[in-house]
Amino acid sequence: MKKSLVALAALAVAGMASAQSSVTLFGVVDASISRYTTNSIDNRVINPFTGQVVSGAFNPGQSQTVLGNGGYSSSRLGFRGTEDLGGGLAASFWLEAPLSNDDGSTVGRPFNFSRRSTVSLSGGFGEIRLGRDYTPTFWNDTVFDPYGTVGVGTNVISSVSGLAGAPIVRGGLLAGTTFTNGNYARASNTVGYFLPPNLGGFYGQLQYGLDENVHGNATNLFGNTNSNTGRYVGGRFGYANGPLDVAVAYGQSTVRTFNEPVALTVSPTGFSPFGAKVKTANLGASYDFGVVKLFGELSQINNDIRNTNAGFTLDSTTKVRGWLLGATAPVGAGLIRASYSEARTNLNQPF
């Protein structure tokens, strides 16, 4: 009898343990047919005497029809799970991979968990999350965009965030290169902290991405081997209560550490002592009136560049400022979405 009771108690404990753990398979498969067209633009200035083009260029019109994915929501496949550790603590994981369902191939988009791969510990203190995750500034871009930064309606500032920059002088020559912010939407090797959800509507997060470079005391041609390239730091703080949601975010990504050697074809020495950081700040808000939900966002990207040539140091900043106004209106089970966004550089050039 005692053995039976012990066995029943063990089964009960096992049943409780299994009930406290869960693993979910989730995903989206999105397909769309899209056609893109551009008009011909001819802004050439031609010397009437020689017939030579003085400035400008002729860009012929083009068109393209594609069967794509991610027109409404990004295609993905993922696994997530949570286990109750007791005492108010829970351990979780999240593995999410992109899908290329328009052709079924993995060329250029291999199956990996690059969308998100995290493990976390949560409790009354909030959540500590480790791994590859969305950046705080990207959350503002996507939450306050009626299209969720997906498809042709994507916020313009989101489209240029990984491309914003200006020509950089290297070795006395104009390279005409722009920096790409690889940490715009997601950052790898991050340690993140999220506030608990019981703060009366206030929410927030802090995130730090390790550069994972080898640091030491040795010196190179420029006296620096302690590269911080790849490092990311950012944060987001907001308030959501009822129909109102407003948040501000800031992030800084080190694209290249000053005096870090790199092979360049435009420099006679093969090295160029320059550094660059991409700094992003945005403020977004939304208000749901029921029949319509309004969205708005202000954004700014700074590409801070330091270039040294022949002992002369030049600091420059290229700024990209953007704004968005949008709305969604529920119709049955769906939504009508509309938005207008714009982004311009400090050279007054639109994207």
Side-chain angles (χ1 to χ4, degrees):
M1 185 64 179
K2 290 182 179 181
K3 291 183 179 180
S4 299
L5 290 175
V6 171
L8 288 173
L11 287 173
V13 171
M16 289 169 54
S18 62
Q20 293 168 347
S21 302
S22 65
V23 176
T24 302
L25 171 67
F26 67 96
V28 173
V29 180
D30 179 294
S32 62
I33 299 176
S34 302
R35 180 172 176 81
Y36 307 92
T37 61
T38 60
N39 296 325
S40 298
I41 298 177
D42 188 354
N43 58 4
R44 293 175 295 178
V45 177
I46 300 177
N47 188 318
F49 301 101
T50 64
Q52 295 180 331
V53 177
V54 178
S55 62
F58 172 70
N59 299 307
Q62 296 178 313
S63 65
Q64 181 186 30
T65 302
V66 301
L67 175 65
N69 60 78
Y72 178 76
S73 184
S74 300
S75 296
R76 71 199 75 171
L77 179 65
F79 308 85
R80 60 175 179 256
T82 301
E83 181 173 358
D84 191 341
L85 303 178
L89 296 177
S92 306
F93 76 91
W94 189 303
L95 300 174
E96 185 176 328
L99 292 180
S100 182
N101 54 277
D102 52 338
D103 57 11
S105 71
T106 59
V107 178
R109 203 173 195 184
F111 186 86
N112 55 47
F113 297 111
S114 59
R115 285 184 58 88
R116 177 175 166 181
S117 55
T118 61
V119 62
S120 60
L121 179 67
S122 59
F125 58 87
E127 179 184 356
I128 297 175
R129 187 182 298 177
L130 310 177
R132 178 170 174 80
D133 200 4
Y134 293 100
T135 62
T137 50
F138 177 74
W139 273 120
N140 268 9
D141 281 345
T142 194
V143 168
F144 300 112
D145 180 352
Y147 292 89
T149 58
V150 176
V152 295
T154 296
N155 186 354
V156 176
I157 196 70
S158 174
S159 301
V160 304
S161 284
L163 303 175
I168 303 163
V169 178
R170 296 177 178 173
L173 300 177
L174 188 62
T177 303
T178 60
F179 284 113
T180 298
N181 181 10
N183 291 331
Y184 163 60
R186 302 169 179 87
S188 298
N189 313 310
T190 66
V191 179
Y193 169 72
F194 294 78
L195 291 174
N198 57 349
L199 299 180
F202 291 99
Y203 60 88
Q205 69 173 112
L206 295 174
Q207 187 180 69
Y208 180 81
L210 303 171
D211 57 58
E212 291 197 341
N213 298 317
V214 177
H215 296 255
N217 297 324
T219 59
N220 56 37
L221 179 63
F222 303 106
N224 178 22
T225 55
N226 293 317
S227 169
N228 296 326
T229 299
R231 178 177 297 178
Y232 176 84
V233 60
R236 180 172 182 247
F237 185 75
Y239 176 78
N241 189 7
L244 175 66
D245 188 3
V246 58
V248 60
Y250 175 83
Q252 177 177 295
S253 179
T254 302
V255 178
R256 188 171 181 275
T257 302
F258 184 64
N259 280 349
E260 178 185 348
V262 62
L264 294 172
T265 58
V266 298
S267 174
T269 63
F271 300 97
S272 181
F274 70 93
K277 292 183 179 180
V278 179
K279 301 174 182 179
T280 303
N282 50 36
L283 170 66
S286 65
Y287 195 93
D288 193 347
F289 291 93
V291 294
V292 63
K293 184 176 182 179
L294 302 180
F295 298 83
E297 185 188 10
L298 297 174
S299 304
Q300 179 168 306
I301 310 165
N302 284 10
N303 276 16
D304 291 343
I305 302 165
R306 167 166 288 191
N307 184 85
T308 296
N309 183 37
F312 178 73
T313 299
L314 174 65
D315 293 335
S316 62
T317 298
T318 300
K319 296 181 181 180
V320 181
R321 294 186 176 97
W323 60 272
L324 171 144
L325 288 176
T328 60
V331 177
L335 283 175
I336 296 177
R337 305 167 187 264
S339 72
Y340 181 87
S341 59
E342 184 177 283
R344 289 180 177 269
T345 69
N346 55 336
L347 303 176
N348 201 32
Q349 297 177 342
F351 284 91

